[in-house]
Amino acid sequence: MTAIAGLDHRIAAARVVVLDPAGRPLDSASVAVEQVRHAFGFGNIGFDFVEWIGGPPETVGGSASEVFGGLIPPDPESLAESWLQLFNMVTLPFYWRGFEPVRGRPETARMRRTAEWFASRGVTVKGHPLLWHTLAPEWLLDEDEHSVETVIRERIRREVTEFAGVVDVWDAINEAVILPVFTAEDNAVTRLARRKGQIATVKMAFDEARAANPAVRLVLNDFDLSASYERLIEECLDAGIRIDALGVQTHMHQGYRGEEQIGEILERFSRFGLPLQLTETTLLSGALMPSHIVDLNDYQVDSWPSTAEGEARQADEIVRHYRNVVAHPAVESLTYWGITDHGAWLGAPSGLVRADGSPKPAYEALRALIREEWWYAPTHMTTDADGAIAISGFAGRYRITTSQGSVEIDLHPGHSDTVVETGR
């Protein structure tokens, strides 16, 4: 393929020399080349699959179902196949209230089964989140102001340690901008932040996670994309907190924000020189939420159906949004928040497939973008006298196959020379 306008920074151009098992260049050899994975993180949540893959909650009487979805979608095997056709990065729910509804009885086994299922299929697994004031366990309120910090530190260390090697990317702390002034419900995390300080609380989460797994990648994630988040980032960096990526939430239940507004957001946060992750993106295929709603959680309706008109709009907007985001060089991943309308957040028609599992136009439009236009089509070519072939395609993992065997290589953006050996 040739470089696509505006996406040169995503393209890998490589001269690959193919050797036989004896280390000799394969002259005039037939070579099959196919892409098997994107380097860019095309993500979605895996909440819909926890109960199907991991099994039902082990803690009877807990509240795991309210944050894990609790319901297996119709035909989960088919839904999983649709999921895997598009996405290479999954976000799994580690909301503390659901993960450990009863103190000392975390849902580690079922979540690990789910994480390993995705990882075994080449999917990068991200945990969300290690610390958040919302959905903190109710039993944490029984701790005094000093012991609550100890319990939080233990929770962070436990999860990062238990899942190391399977989950090595985490939202270290979620929505810290509002943390010290959060009043929607009493919770021990906000109490701690008021006593300890906002930046010190963020630092605690990052430090504990990194001590548990030095190889971990940690994200600071927020929905507040105002100057307040920029100030928080500046103060965290000034305090010596090592942030690996900045999470930017873009739920668009009130309508697509447009290329210009999203571009302005990406520009503002790219100034920190850190990779950006668009961690939570939604676009609706039905009626839009009224613009006067400030907290999206306040909007309640009995029925929120997907419509033909809304589905056409969603398909157009999702292609525009993905083109806009992938074109920005600072962005390393974009996670869509839900594949199906079944059990979707707030009951909104935000999925890429309908509640019955049938694909919406948005799913097909996104598949055409990710797996056709931005995908290296399987190609057969012949090596030159030096045993070399030339590959130009979206950065990612490629499989090189000759009569001697196959090997997979990672091609990075830019130009490179690579030597591979098949048949060993």
Side-chain angles (χ1 to χ4, degrees):
M1 64 173 286
T2 57
I4 298 175
L7 294 176
D8 292 5
H9 58 287
R10 303 288 178 196
I11 303 300
R15 179 179 180 269
V16 179
V17 177
V18 185
L19 307 179
D20 67 12
R24 297 170 301 208
L26 284 171
D27 178 11
S28 302
S30 177
V31 179
V33 180
E34 59 180 322
Q35 187 172 5
V36 296
R37 193 181 193 278
H38 270 291
F40 186 90
F42 290 105
N44 206 314
I45 58 174
F47 299 12
D48 309 280
F49 305 108
V50 173
E51 196 139 330
W52 175 59
I53 299 169
E58 298 169 5
T59 304
V60 178
S63 56
S65 62
E66 71 178 86
V67 293
F68 285 163
L71 295 174
I72 297 177
D75 197 359
E77 188 170 349
S78 177
L79 187 66
E81 182 179 347
S82 296
W83 196 104
L84 291 167
Q85 284 180 13
L86 282 190
F87 304 109
N88 61 14
M89 182 175 181
V90 66
T91 296
L92 292 182
F94 283 80
Y95 303 116
W96 199 355
R97 186 179 299 172
F99 188 78
E100 192 177 7
V102 176
R103 185 172 181 179
R105 298 178 64 184
E107 297 283 348
T108 304
R110 72 194 295 253
M111 192 61 74
R112 187 172 183 90
R113 285 192 291 270
T114 308
E116 288 176 340
W117 186 91
F118 279 102
S120 69
R121 288 157 176 79
V123 176
T124 299
V125 186
K126 179 183 181 182
H128 170 79
L130 287 170
L131 184 60
W132 191 27
H133 50 277
T134 299
L135 294 179
E138 295 174 356
W139 53 259
L140 194 61
L141 286 167
D142 296 333
E143 299 293 324
D144 62 42
E145 64 176 24
H146 297 291
S147 62
V148 70
E149 179 174 348
T150 300
V151 175
I152 289 173
R153 288 179 179 273
E154 291 172 347
R155 155 12 192 227
I156 294 171
R157 286 198 302 269
R158 180 187 65 197
E159 266 59 274
V160 175
T161 300
E162 288 281 348
F163 288 85
V166 181
V167 184
D168 291 323
V169 184
W170 294 88
D171 286 325
I173 188 167
N174 197 42
E175 302 175 358
V177 172
I178 200 176
L179 169 60
V181 295
F182 182 75
T183 58
E185 65 176 20
D186 189 20
N187 71 91
V189 182
T190 292
R191 288 184 187 178
L192 176 65
R194 289 173 180 164
R195 176 180 67 84
K196 188 178 181 66
Q198 182 186 42
I199 303 304
T201 303
V202 174
K203 189 174 190 301
M204 174 193 69
F206 275 78
D207 286 353
E208 288 294 340
R210 206 171 298 282
N213 177 9
V216 76
R217 294 195 75 232
L218 299 175
V219 183
L220 182 68
N221 187 47
D222 220 296
F223 73 92
D224 187 332
L225 306 183
S226 71
S228 297
Y229 189 21
E230 294 179 76
R231 284 194 296 272
L232 175 68
I233 296 166
E234 290 170 350
E235 292 173 9
C236 286
L237 296 176
D238 288 344
I241 300 173
R242 178 183 154 195
I243 302 170
D244 295 309
L246 298 175
V248 176
Q249 299 180 25
T250 53
H251 288 293
M252 293 181 275
H253 287 57
Q254 293 166 312
Y256 179 44
R257 300 182 190 183
E259 288 87 343
E260 184 175 349
Q261 185 181 139
I262 294 295
E264 184 270 336
I265 290 169
L266 299 180
E267 278 300 297
R268 282 196 292 114
F269 289 98
S270 67
R271 71 180 176 88
F272 295 101
L274 295 169
L276 303 183
Q277 294 187 358
L278 269 73
T279 52
E280 304 180 26
T281 287
T282 48
L283 289 160
L284 302 194
S285 64
L288 300 177
M289 185 184 293
S291 59
H292 68 269
I293 301 293
V294 177
D295 185 340
L296 303 189
N297 294 282
D298 292 339
Y299 186 61
Q300 302 290 331
V301 289
D302 294 331
S303 177
W304 203 346
S306 184
T307 66
E309 179 183 4
E311 289 183 1
R313 183 191 66 235
Q314 183 194 40
D316 173 70
E317 291 174 346
I318 204 164
V319 170
R320 290 167 56 193
H321 184 58
Y322 272 72
R323 286 192 189 281
N324 189 38
V325 170
V326 174
H328 198 289
V331 182
E332 67 176 16
S333 65
L334 194 170
T335 293
Y336 197 81
W337 205 252
I339 189 170
T340 173
D341 285 350
H342 180 84
W345 183 51
L346 304 180
S350 55
L352 303 176
V353 304
R354 304 179 187 93
D356 64 4
S358 59
K360 297 180 187 177
Y363 178 89
E364 299 295 351
L366 193 55
R367 186 195 60 79
L369 198 62
I370 296 175
R371 296 305 297 266
E372 292 181 15
E373 183 177 338
W374 292 347
W375 191 255
Y376 189 92
T379 303
H380 284 83
M381 55 185 75
T382 302
T383 59
D384 62 19
D386 297 321
I389 57 173
I391 301 174
S392 179
F394 268 73
R397 180 159 296 178
Y398 286 73
R399 181 178 296 119
I400 312 295
T401 303
T402 70
S403 60
Q404 307 287 324
S406 296
V407 65
E408 292 186 359
I409 58 173
D410 291 317
L411 298 183
H412 306 284
H415 297 264
S416 63
D417 288 331
T418 303
V419 178
V420 299
E421 184 177 311
T422 61
R424 176 168 291 189

